[in-house]
Amino acid sequence: MPHVTLHVLETDLAGREAGLIRELTDAVVSVYGEWARPSVDVRLIGIPAGRWARGGVPVASAAPSVTFGMREEVFARPDAAGVVARLVSAFTDAVTAVFGDDCRDEVLVELVGQPTSRSGLGGEVISGG
């Protein structure tokens, strides 16, 4: 199941939730195909003022950041570089579709691979088979 987490200042998130959920889900689907849509898990995390800092100083504004969790095996595929590039582009486009193009150069996208053997669902380790 692909997991998308977006961190953004709470004041910037309010009222944009539905658009972000749609755009982030569509970003995953644009890379993997429509079959992935039902399994995309989106989490929007609004950070209150004073709880996001850069250089040891709280920020008044910050571009959203996206973390995408997927199976580690994706990075070993022969087409991994292309998949990574398409995901980074699609997530950046999704964020700017909602927040505007002014934040494009500051949008951080992190792709995190999780070994299946270190994941669990329903109290059981997920098998790699």
Side-chain angles (χ1 to χ4, degrees), residues 95-116:
V95 169
T96 58
V98 176
F99 289 96
D101 209 50
D102 290 346
C103 69
R104 178 175 294 278
D105 292 342
E106 300 292 322
V107 174
L108 173 65
V109 176
E110 297 174 289
L111 307 178
V112 179
Q114 178 67 35
T116 302

Side-chain angles (χ1 to χ4, degrees), residues 31-72:
V31 174
Y32 288 103
E34 194 62 42
W35 66 267
R37 184 177 301 279
S39 64
V40 177
D41 184 48
V42 176
R43 298 173 189 151
L44 305 176
I45 300 177
I47 301 174
R51 292 190 182 173
W52 189 322
R54 185 170 292 117
V57 179
V59 297
S61 66
S65 67
V66 177
T67 304
F68 181 60
M70 60 187 157
R71 294 177 77 168
E72 184 178 63

